[in-house]
Amino acid sequence: MVVLTVVRIFRSNFNDMAYKRKTSKEKSDSDNLELKEPEAVYYTSPKNSQWNVYRGGGSASLPNNYIERSITLLGMETVKPFDEVKNVNDFIDCIREGVPKKALDNLIDIAGITTGEIANIIRTSDRTLRRYTAKQKLNPEQSERIIELAKLYSRGEEVFGNLDAFKEWMSTIIIALGSKKPKEFLDTSLGIDMLMNELGRIEQGIFA
């Protein structure tokens, strides 16, 4: 009986020791585990399908630079001197050369601006504008306004993620703009500059 009791005690102590070693090992393994955060997922808005018109319906991606993308919006990527534009200053030659009516038509289609609205923006009549041929060029003042609009809509697409969202904003009453719609400021260079500045504020998280 004494021997049996000793064996039982020994076996019990042995099991306790084995259990302690096991739990100690499990605890040690768990201490070595690294907590990894899930990978961040970034969501970007898809480009508006209308952009396909201005890149020839191809699969090539649009330029990342909003200035170069402005040229794409006008459909002038392969037309001199537009094909040589790399920065804002390069637009000077384009203004002096004159923007063809075809570029204006492209802008109207993609920006959703009516012929009447664009006529008011560039200081002419709807009737006169309709008489222009596709290759006929606008005067320098009108050309400058069209290029400013292209830059604005390209920048808006960049900030809002897609053109539809930007066009909706353009037609929304904004308190920061004196409770007016952004579209109401397109008839002056100063007004367009103001909208460009507002886009910069929105991009920085200062929502209007």
Side-chain angles (χ1 to χ4, degrees):
M1 292 293 294
V2 174
V3 175
L4 182 59
T5 301
V6 171
V7 171
R8 286 177 177 175
I9 293 173
F10 176 79
R11 182 177 296 173
S12 175
N13 290 339
F14 178 81
N15 290 338
D16 289 343
M17 292 174 61
Y19 175 76
K20 289 179 180 179
R21 284 197 300 270
K22 181 178 179 182
T23 54
S24 177
K25 184 177 184 301
E26 289 177 347
K27 184 177 180 181
S28 178
D29 291 342
S30 64
D31 289 341
N32 292 329
L33 291 177
E34 295 182 2
L35 295 176
K36 296 182 178 180
E37 295 183 1
E39 295 183 1
V41 179
Y42 297 93
Y43 297 93
T44 56
S45 300
K47 299 295 183 185
N48 191 293
S49 59
Q50 289 177 309
W51 277 104
N52 290 328
V53 176
Y54 304 102
R55 62 185 186 192
S59 58
S61 60
L62 288 164
N64 292 324
N65 187 301
Y66 92 94
I67 294 177
E68 295 179 5
R69 207 164 54 243
S70 301
I71 305 301
T72 304
L73 188 154
L74 293 170
M76 297 284 106
E77 308 99 305
T78 60
V79 179
K80 289 187 177 298
F82 292 90
D83 60 344
E84 299 175 353
V85 171
K86 300 300 180 183
N87 55 60
V88 174
N89 294 335
D90 291 339
F91 279 118
I92 294 176
D93 289 337
C94 299
I95 293 171
R96 290 171 175 167
E97 183 74 18
V99 172
K101 173 62 162 42
K102 179 182 179 181
L104 176 60
D105 292 336
N106 288 336
L107 179 64
I108 290 175
D109 289 340
I110 196 167
I113 302 174
T114 66
T115 305
E117 288 174 332
I118 203 70
N120 179 63
I121 291 171
I122 64 174
R123 311 294 185 186
T124 189
S125 67
D126 187 351
R127 183 175 180 181
T128 299
L129 196 58
R130 292 181 186 278
R131 289 202 301 263
Y132 277 43
T133 64
K135 294 183 179 181
Q136 189 170 349
K137 295 181 179 179
L138 305 176
N139 65 42
E141 182 182 356
Q142 295 170 332
S143 297
E144 185 172 21
R145 189 60 44 75
I146 295 305
I147 289 175
E148 288 174 337
L149 286 176
K151 287 164 50 187
L152 176 67
Y153 275 80
S154 175
R155 185 77 172 96
E157 185 270 345
E158 183 178 65
V159 172
F160 281 83
N162 62 72
L163 280 174
D164 286 338
F166 176 63
K167 288 190 289 186
E168 182 177 351
W169 180 79
M170 287 289 288
S171 299
T172 302
I173 294 177
I174 306 298
I175 296 177
L177 298 178
S179 297
K180 295 182 179 181
K181 299 177 181 179
K183 288 180 69 173
E184 296 180 44
F185 298 93
L186 298 180
D187 60 335
T188 65
S189 295
L190 185 60
I192 293 176
D193 286 342
M194 183 179 65
L195 296 180
M196 290 288 276
N197 291 334
E198 195 64 36
L199 289 176
R201 287 167 54 83
I202 293 173
E203 188 176 43
Q204 296 299 319
I206 308 174
F207 296 99

